[in-house]
Amino acid sequence: MIGTTGLNPVDERAKDAVARLRAFHRVVAEHSGRHYRTLVINDGAVAYRDLSLRDNGVTHDFLQRSHALFRAIDASERRNGWPGARMVIGAGFRAKGSRRGIDDAERRVDRILEQMAAAEISAEEAVRQAASIQRYADGIPQLQANFAFTRAYVAEAAGSRAGLGGPKMFVDTTIFDDSTPPSWVRCGPAIPFSEAGLQINCQFVPVTDLAAPGKVGNRIRGLRDGLDIGSALAPTLELRGLITASR
């Protein structure tokens, strides 16, 4: 839409494109929270969460929140006659990311608090200085060396040529027991996806709806927890033994 204006947001024809962008940002913000954090860049958004190694309820919570976000975006798009959006949920490992920007801001806040405690500045001045702190190099640690993000990004970018086209919600089947969607996940047939250069070889299903999952004991039926997913992604690592040994 913005391309028809030569990427000029003040062109009269750009009004719909800018309105669409702002509507998208608003919907993502409304669905973000402590347990569903997001990063928005222009017309894309990344939601992320570390899964529990024992409780697959966290997996269900992320899937359910993602589905709610997708439905809200889809409703906004349809209401305005816009093309729709695509969501891809990927599973993967992540390494610890850099906290340089966060740590630097925390050090500056600590220095302000020390000055206030020493009566070198007033409380009002401390608040003013803290409010003016800016990060000059920023980043979200959870999205650095995050290979679930890599997996989802590569699949989304492949789009129609990989069978992942259209305004749909595609879910990596690695999150399901035996990589098979349970009956409460209403979806189309699995779509194989591979990227030889990154050694990605998985399947996605286009999810249309989620019903109440039910439980088997204390576990959500049909979903893997973080440890199960890790073991499915890297079966030769024997993750359960590594985690037990580290405790």
Side-chain angles (χ1 to χ4, degrees):
M1 294 170 70
I2 193 69
T4 62
T5 71
L7 304 183
N8 181 359
V10 299
D11 187 298
E12 183 68 20
R13 297 169 297 170
K15 285 185 177 179
D16 282 349
V18 174
R20 184 185 181 198
L21 196 63
R22 288 174 176 165
F24 172 68
H25 292 172
R26 183 184 67 253
V27 174
V28 173
E30 289 171 352
H31 284 75
S32 302
R34 179 182 178 187
H35 298 300
Y36 194 78
R37 302 183 185 227
T38 60
L39 170 67
V40 174
I41 302 177
N42 286 333
D43 62 346
V46 185
Y48 55 94
R49 186 172 182 184
D50 288 340
L51 300 182
S52 168
L53 296 182
R54 303 294 182 188
D55 181 9
N56 71 348
V58 178
T59 310
H60 178 255
D61 184 72
F62 186 81
L63 178 64
Q64 191 172 47
R65 289 175 188 267
S66 297
H67 184 246
L69 172 58
F70 177 77
R71 291 188 64 174
I73 294 171
D74 187 61
S76 173
E77 291 277 308
R78 291 178 183 275
R79 187 166 55 247
N80 290 284
W82 296 329
R86 179 163 56 237
M87 174 182 281
V88 178
I89 296 179
F93 296 105
R94 78 172 180 90
K96 287 185 177 180
S98 170
R99 287 175 44 94
R100 287 186 181 88
I102 296 171
D103 291 342
D104 179 63
E106 289 179 349
R107 282 192 293 269
R108 291 159 74 183
V109 169
D110 288 343
R111 176 56 183 153
I112 291 169
L113 293 175
E114 290 171 0
Q115 288 178 305
M116 186 176 70
E120 296 175 7
I121 59 173
S122 66
E124 291 79 4
E125 176 63 14
V127 170
R128 188 192 67 77
Q129 289 189 25
S132 66
I133 290 176
Q134 298 182 32
R135 296 184 196 169
Y136 301 112
D138 210 345
I140 295 177
Q142 294 90 335
L143 293 180
Q144 312 310 313
N146 183 321
F147 303 111
F149 178 33
T150 303
R151 196 164 163 127
Y153 181 88
V154 171
E156 197 284 326
S160 298
R161 62 183 171 85
L164 304 174
K168 299 176 183 178
M169 174 180 172
F170 296 99
V171 178
D172 187 338
T173 61
T174 307
I175 74 169
F176 304 124
D177 285 342
D178 300 319
S179 295
T180 303
S183 59
W184 55 270
V185 177
R186 294 165 188 167
C187 61
I191 302 165
F193 178 78
S194 62
E195 210 321 308
L198 296 172
Q199 298 186 40
I200 297 174
N201 188 13
C202 61
Q203 295 187 116
F204 292 92
V205 288
V207 171
T208 56
D209 200 8
L210 300 177
K215 287 190 173 184
V216 178
N218 293 324
R219 292 179 65 83
I220 300 291
R221 183 166 53 89
L223 284 182
R224 287 169 165 158
D225 57 33
L227 187 54
D228 292 332
I229 291 172
S231 297
L233 290 169
T236 61
L237 286 183
E238 299 183 1
L239 292 177
R240 293 181 185 277
L242 288 174
I243 290 173
T244 300
S246 67
R247 288 181 176 175

